[in-house]
């Protein structure tokens, strides 16, 4: 057995079978998903080459989960936006932004769960109180967007060639897009709220 702070090694064979070296048993993608939920650290290695293939295996787990009925967590606008960042100059910033956003959300999730339980767990008349946890989620999302926008400004400090200084006009033009993004985020948050409420 590996030491507690040492990640368990999962070996993936050519026949796609996954072998947990910690328990000396074959496992499935579902088993690995459960390990992630329990906070168990592991790496996945190609059994033949020893290459670390943890990233594609975790991506495969997400793909499998997203294809289960009623389990979709990644909204289509988010997926489109994510795809658009591949090959873009912002690609190097996105992983860090997403990681920090998820860390911040993870830290707050217990507080959100308690707030939602107290808001929705009593009676239909208490539904009005749901605004408080939703506002907290919206505030966190707004702060994350600000961080991301600041990071983007760091990588694009100069206007595009031939444009001179950035005019105020495009900023006003972007305002409806920002409102649409905010609306999408609110819809996503409402979907998360329903999911968390159904788990309670």
């Amino acid at each position: 057995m590996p030491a507690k702070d040492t990640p368990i090694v999962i070996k993936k064979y050519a026949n796609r079978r996954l072998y947990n070296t910690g328990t000396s048993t074959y496992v499935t993608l579902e088993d690995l998903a459960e390990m992630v939920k329990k906070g168990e650290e592991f790496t996945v290695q190609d059994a033949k080459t020893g290459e670390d293939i943890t990233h594609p295996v975790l991506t495969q787990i997400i793909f499998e989960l997203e294809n289960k009925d009623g389990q979709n967590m990644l909204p289509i606008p988010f997926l489109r936006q994510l795809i658009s960042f591949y090959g873009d100059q912002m690609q190097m910033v996105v992983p860090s932004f997403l990681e920090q956003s998820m860390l911040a959300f993870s830290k707050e999730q217990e507080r959100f769960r308690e707030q939602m339980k107290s808001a929705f767990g009593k009676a239909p008349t208490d539904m009005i109180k749901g605004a408080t946890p939703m506002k907290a989620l919206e505030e966190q999302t707004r702060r994350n967007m600000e961080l991301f926008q600041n990071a983007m400004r760091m990588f694009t400090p100069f206007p595009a060639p031939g444009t001179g200084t950035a005019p105020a006009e495009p900023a006003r033009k972007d305002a409806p897009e920002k409102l649409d993004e905010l609306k999408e985020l609110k819809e996503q948050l409402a979907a998360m709220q329903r999911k968390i409420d159904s788990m309670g």
Side-chain angles (χ1 to χ4, degrees):
M1 282 294 277
K4 277 195 172 184
D5 56 347
T6 306
I8 297 165
V9 175
I10 308 293
K11 294 197 177 268
K12 186 173 185 183
Y13 291 91
N15 61 5
R16 296 186 173 184
R17 292 193 77 186
L18 297 160
Y19 184 77
N20 183 330
T21 61
T23 60
S24 301
T25 57
Y26 284 99
V27 292
T28 63
L29 289 175
E30 289 83 9
D31 295 326
L32 295 185
E34 284 305 312
M35 289 173 69
V36 169
K37 289 174 186 177
K38 291 175 185 172
E40 297 178 30
E41 290 290 324
F42 63 84
T43 60
V44 185
Q45 296 176 358
D46 183 292
K48 187 175 182 182
T49 66
E51 178 189 357
D52 187 329
I53 55 171
T54 308
H55 186 276
V57 169
L58 292 176
T59 306
Q60 187 179 357
I61 290 170
I62 291 171
F63 178 78
E64 297 285 333
L65 291 172
E66 282 289 308
N67 279 303
K68 284 188 177 178
D69 288 337
Q71 292 236 83
N72 309 70
M73 274 204 303
L74 302 176
I76 288 173
F78 172 81
L79 292 171
R80 289 183 195 280
Q81 189 67 53
L82 195 59
I83 290 167
S84 74
F85 281 126
Y86 283 93
D88 185 90
Q89 65 179 3
M90 295 312 301
Q91 182 173 342
M92 67 173 83
V93 180
V94 173
S96 177
F97 170 74
L98 292 176
E99 185 177 2
Q100 292 305 313
S101 296
M102 288 306 290
L103 282 172
F105 183 75
S106 295
K107 286 177 185 173
E108 295 291 323
Q109 71 175 332
E110 279 311 311
R111 187 166 63 85
F112 290 144
R113 281 179 208 248
E114 288 305 313
Q115 286 178 339
M116 287 184 188
K117 192 181 284 184
S118 65
F120 301 121
K122 296 172 186 172
T125 54
D126 292 335
M127 294 288 276
I128 299 162
K129 294 179 188 172
T132 304
M134 286 309 294
K135 280 182 183 170
L137 273 170
E138 287 172 10
E139 179 61 22
Q140 183 65 49
T141 304
R142 187 189 61 72
R143 284 197 304 265
N144 288 346
M145 287 303 292
E146 282 176 7
L147 285 170
F148 186 56
Q149 286 165 351
N150 289 338
M152 288 192 352
R153 278 194 280 276
M154 282 175 25
F155 287 93
T156 54
F158 305 107
T163 60
T165 57
E169 186 69 24
R172 286 199 299 273
K173 193 177 172 186
D174 288 344
E177 287 181 342
K178 299 267 187 244
L179 289 174
D180 287 344
E181 288 173 7
L182 185 59
K183 184 180 175 190
E184 284 175 19
L185 283 171
K186 284 182 179 179
E187 289 169 358
Q188 292 168 22
L189 291 171
M192 278 196 315
Q193 178 181 331
R194 287 192 296 273
K195 189 161 218 161
I196 290 170
D197 190 39
S198 69
M199 290 171 15

